[in-house]
Amino acid sequence: MKNITVLIKPASALCNLRCSYCFYANVSSLREVRSFGKMKEKVTEKMIENIYADLEDGDQLTLAFQGGEPTMAGLNYFRKVTQLVDQQQKQIQVHYAIQTNGTMINENWCAFLKKHDFLVGLSIDGLPLYHDLHRVDPKGKGSFHRVLQTKQLFDQYEIDYNVLCVLTNPLAKEGKKVFHFLKEQQIKFVQFIPCLDDLDAKKKSSYALTPKRFAGFYRQLFPLWLEQLKKGNYISIKLFDDLINLLVRKEITACGILGNCQVQYVIEADGSVYPCDFYVLDEYRMGYIQENTLKELFEKEITFDFVCKKPNLPKKCGNCPFIKVCGGGCKRMKNAVYVDSSGQYCGYQDFLRYFIPRIQEILQLISSKIV
């Protein structure tokens, strides 16, 4: 049985916000074509056909929609996708997911998302001050209030959602405040995404995360999270979940967690396909979904080169006790999470030294059915 995930950008790099740290705005600016506009119906039809070509009865497929801002493709686009899926003859279990800034969601959207069991990622940067500092509209106005209204709609419609929080360097000082916000808003699932410098950055920005702030943030968060766990209140923090899955269950639930790249099948609005959301660049184009199946794309030489070519690791990795469960980590996040510019400090190693000795306590709390 195969389990395939495809990331689709139905509105390419189009977005109604102008987030100052947006990595995709930077990536798309480095291409010959910045935005491919909205995905045309013929591309959508051929995309579903060729995704299904290599699937068999019993397989599982996740169609995840990202941007830019994917809701800019319009609700009718998503209705068309679900109709095309429903018309397929193969017995495939299909899961839907969408990552949104939440500002264009209304009750019509909510009814659709609920009907088709979408898992929604909602972008909220932890605290109003920090959210509105970076997540602004074209006029520079913050979006926090509007996004919180969308969260309330999701609660009202009982839509499954998790919060995606971009962890900037300034926000990383506020671990305790961020955790209290999660409790206050009754957020049960959260993923913190390290804020990255631009691919072509000449110097580090003020908002890009540093390894020391990364470790410091999670070390602030952990005792508060553990305290809630003891009270029977489990808040899913993705890094904690991923580490438990890896170290205890021997399951890989995060791309790059072992230092190995995996093919993500990122499909841009023109049908072009790339191996990773961080590298949707002309030189990494694997082909076009209108012309190739996923299997054919996977067998391309450019795909092999992306997956197999590994960057040289810093010297500090050579004597790291966690090298087998890290492998140097995600190459795109190296400057935000792992070995810093001094070459002497690794934020990930620092946090693992703190976290791993406490895993048994976590497991005991879980197995005792406190949660």
Side-chain angles (χ1 to χ4, degrees):
M1 183 184 76
K2 296 187 291 294
N3 194 333
I4 303 294
T5 297
V6 179
L7 280 70
I8 303 165
K9 294 184 177 290
S12 191
L14 299 176
C15 189
N16 62 320
L17 294 185
R18 298 294 182 267
C19 302
S20 57
Y21 51 53
C22 179
F23 82 88
Y24 204 69
N26 170 243
V27 168
S28 60
S29 73
L30 301 176
R31 301 189 305 225
E32 185 176 336
V33 178
R34 181 189 173 275
S35 176
F36 299 104
K38 299 177 183 179
M39 185 177 284
K40 293 180 171 57
E41 188 168 320
K42 287 185 178 180
V43 175
T44 305
E45 291 171 351
K46 196 63 180 176
M47 175 182 71
I48 297 299
E49 178 184 332
N50 278 351
I51 288 173
Y52 265 76
D54 299 318
L55 298 177
E56 300 171 348
D57 288 351
D59 288 345
Q60 295 197 44
L61 170 66
T62 298
L63 298 177
F65 299 89
Q66 299 183 344
E69 174 50 41
T71 59
M72 291 193 73
L75 189 49
N76 283 337
Y77 168 84
F78 290 90
R79 289 184 175 125
K80 179 65 177 179
V81 169
T82 55
Q83 287 170 5
L84 289 169
V85 167
D86 290 343
Q87 290 167 8
Q88 301 303 309
Q89 298 301 308
K90 294 178 182 177
Q91 301 302 307
I92 308 298
Q93 186 175 357
V94 180
H95 309 277
Y96 296 106
I98 186 171
Q99 179 62 46
T100 177
N101 62 36
T103 59
M104 299 177 69
I105 300 294
N106 56 26
E107 295 208 24
N108 288 336
W109 271 103
C110 287
F112 173 82
L113 296 171
K114 181 63 178 177
K115 177 181 177 181
H116 294 281
D117 295 320
F118 269 72
L119 173 63
V120 182
L122 181 63
S123 296
I124 307 178
D125 281 357
L127 300 168
L129 174 66
Y130 292 94
H131 182 106
D132 284 344
L133 183 64
H134 297 289
R135 305 190 67 82
V136 297
D137 66 17
K139 294 182 179 179
K141 184 178 179 181
S143 58
F144 182 83
H145 180 68
R146 178 69 189 87
V147 176
L148 218 60
Q149 288 179 329
T150 295
K151 177 197 172 296
Q152 291 164 1
L153 270 179
F154 287 165
D155 290 333
Q156 177 185 329
Y157 276 80
E158 298 182 335
I159 290 170
D160 289 333
Y161 69 94
N162 55 51
V163 164
L164 187 146
C165 174
V166 177
L167 187 60
T168 61
N169 215 41
L171 182 61
K173 294 188 298 183
E174 308 288 359
K176 292 180 180 179
K177 290 182 180 179
V178 170
F179 192 82
H180 290 316
F181 172 80
L182 297 177
K183 280 181 56 187
E184 177 186 282
Q185 292 297 324
Q186 297 182 313
I187 293 168
K188 296 297 184 181
F189 300 88
V190 63
Q191 178 178 4
F192 296 100
I193 302 295
C195 185
L196 306 175
D197 266 320
D198 290 347
L199 271 172
D200 57 343
K202 298 295 188 292
K203 61 179 182 178
K204 202 165 187 69
S205 68
S206 61
Y207 50 74
L209 189 64
T210 61
K212 283 191 177 179
R213 288 278 176 86
F214 163 84
F217 175 78
Y218 280 107
R219 289 181 69 138
Q220 280 190 64
L221 224 58
F222 182 83
L224 300 172
W225 175 80
L226 192 63
E227 179 184 349
Q228 289 301 305
L229 184 59
K230 290 175 180 177
K231 295 177 180 178
N233 181 22
Y234 190 84
I235 299 174
S236 171
I237 295 175
K238 193 171 190 305
L239 178 62
F240 299 168
D241 291 348
D242 289 336
L243 286 173
I244 291 169
N245 287 334
L246 177 66
L247 300 171
V248 179
R249 303 185 179 103
K250 311 303 180 186
E251 297 174 358
I252 298 172
T253 52
C255 181
I257 196 168
L258 290 178
N260 300 317
C261 288
Q262 302 168 15
V263 175
Q264 293 181 319
Y265 296 116
V266 181
I267 303 178
E268 256 286 5
D270 68 334
S272 53
V273 185
Y274 307 82
C276 174
D277 200 26
F278 289 134
Y279 296 96
V280 185
L281 300 165
D282 296 335
E283 57 264 39
Y284 292 106
R285 186 186 301 118
M286 299 156 61
Y288 291 84
I289 196 63
Q290 307 95 300
E291 302 167 4
N292 304 107
T293 67
L294 296 181
K295 184 175 184 292
E296 290 168 345
L297 290 165
F298 186 80
E299 293 171 347
K300 293 284 186 76
E301 183 177 350
I302 193 168
T303 311
F304 179 83
D305 289 344
F306 180 84
V307 171
C308 295
K309 284 186 178 179
K310 292 186 177 182
N312 295 324
L313 297 180
K315 289 183 180 179
K316 186 170 180 63
C317 296
N319 60 0
C320 177
F322 308 116
I323 188 64
K324 290 184 178 179
V325 295
C326 169
C330 171
K331 63 184 178 182
R332 183 65 178 93
M333 295 186 183
K334 60 183 179 179
N335 296 328
V337 174
Y338 305 98
V339 180
D340 67 8
S341 56
S342 74
Q344 303 302 310
Y345 174 83
C346 174
Y348 195 59
Q349 183 190 83
D350 186 350
F351 181 67
L352 289 181
R353 288 186 187 279
Y354 176 82
F355 182 82
I356 289 177
R358 294 163 173 82
I359 285 181
Q360 287 305 315
E361 182 180 2
I362 297 168
L363 294 178
Q364 286 171 5
L365 288 171
I366 293 173
S367 62
S368 65
K369 299 182 179 180
I370 290 180
V371 296

